[in-house]
Amino acid sequence: MFSHPYGWIAAGGFLISLLTITVCASRVIIIAHAKRIGSNDDAEVRIRALFGLIKFKYQIPTAKLEGLAIKVQEEISTQHAAGRGTWKEYNDEINPEKVVSSIEKMKQVLQLTRDLTGWLRKTMTKVELTKWNWSTSIGTGDAMWTAMATGVVWSVQSSVLGVLSQFLQLKAEPVMTVNPLFNRSAFATEWSCIAQIRFGYAILAGLQLLHRMKKSKGGVKAWQNILSKA
């Protein structure tokens, strides 16, 4: 078979097809973790793709309230197959003006792109949630108010999971706890989750979004102009 040129072509085509199927069937894994203890915040998102050959990390180690603004320090790092990566650090400020501006830019993006929310809902249905842990401890120093606050926090945690479960595929039993601290005033919460989507679905969703962007008024350039000012 391999003595004939067509045999090598067929073998090459088979290997390329097998590699393509393997890559498309691989999973993009998203690991998120956040916690708040007192006034200290820590949040991190890690993304792995192509069997760990591609890694991405986004971290917000500090967030301090200063007047009406929030000072944040962001860390972003990426790593590829060769083991080399890039790391960037940003210092920024989130204030009411920036929040309002970001909301307006998002409205423009939604108006610009046909059925962007439909694309988002369809993409989210391909995402599998394989871990969901959320634990909160709260105390106000007063037994009655602590009991009320515990109920409110539990409702919030349950509502967030309930909304997400309408869009994502819940593949694991969620773990949620709310611990009342009746003898002191304190607040601490820690949340972690693992979500995954097949690489092929992620690529297809990206191509569909790019197609919608090109079909929108002003095309991709209009998107870039809006997001660059956000």
Side-chain angles (χ1 to χ4, degrees):
M1 173 181 175
F2 294 105
S3 62
H4 196 282
Y6 289 111
W8 288 105
I9 294 175
F14 174 76
L15 289 175
I16 292 174
S17 299
L18 182 61
L19 180 61
T20 301
I21 293 173
T22 302
V23 169
C24 290
S26 67
R27 297 181 181 274
V28 179
I29 301 175
I30 305 162
I31 304 172
H33 176 262
K35 65 179 179 179
R36 178 180 179 87
I37 302 176
S39 59
N40 297 319
D41 298 303
D42 187 16
E44 178 182 277
V45 177
R46 294 177 181 268
I47 300 176
R48 296 201 309 266
L50 293 180
F51 308 101
L53 296 178
I54 298 177
K55 297 180 182 179
F56 174 87
K57 175 183 174 184
Y58 177 77
Q59 185 174 24
I60 306 177
T62 58
K64 298 180 179 180
L65 182 63
E66 296 184 5
L68 294 177
I70 300 175
K71 297 283 187 178
V72 297
Q73 182 187 48
E74 299 175 311
E75 293 180 7
I76 301 176
S77 65
T78 58
Q79 184 176 351
H80 49 72
R84 299 176 181 177
T86 60
W87 181 86
K88 297 179 181 180
E89 180 177 341
Y90 304 95
N91 290 295
D92 201 358
E93 178 181 284
I94 301 175
N95 52 41
E97 290 77 14
K98 284 190 176 182
V99 172
V100 172
S101 177
S102 296
I103 293 174
E104 289 300 322
K105 299 304 179 185
M106 185 56 64
K107 288 181 179 179
Q108 292 179 36
V109 168
L110 289 173
Q111 294 171 358
L112 188 67
T113 309
R114 181 178 60 85
D115 196 24
L116 182 60
T117 55
W119 168 85
L120 181 59
R121 284 196 299 268
K122 185 177 179 180
T123 302
M124 290 181 67
T125 60
K126 304 298 184 181
V127 178
E128 299 177 353
L129 198 61
T130 59
K131 177 184 176 182
W132 182 275
N133 292 348
W134 195 349
S135 176
T136 302
S137 298
I138 186 170
T140 65
D142 179 86
M144 183 186 70
W145 286 108
T146 296
M148 293 177 63
T150 299
V152 170
V153 171
W154 178 259
S155 297
V156 170
Q157 293 187 180
S158 301
S159 298
V160 170
L161 180 61
V163 171
L164 287 177
S165 64
Q166 299 298 314
F167 302 97
L168 308 179
Q169 300 180 43
L170 193 58
K171 296 294 185 178
E173 187 70 24
V175 178
M176 295 193 300
T177 59
V178 181
N179 305 310
L181 305 175
F182 293 105
N183 58 347
R184 58 194 174 97
S185 178
F187 178 80
T189 187
E190 185 169 5
W191 165 82
S192 63
C193 82
I194 299 177
Q196 58 185 20
I197 182 174
R198 292 193 183 277
F199 191 81
Y201 286 143
I203 293 297
L204 180 60
L207 292 175
Q208 290 175 341
L209 178 60
L210 182 61
H211 177 73
R212 291 170 186 264
M213 291 167 62
K214 289 183 176 180
K215 289 290 186 179
S216 63
K217 185 178 180 180
V220 177
K221 189 174 181 180
W223 264 66
Q224 292 175 336
N225 290 336
I226 292 174
L227 297 179
S228 64
K229 299 175 183 178

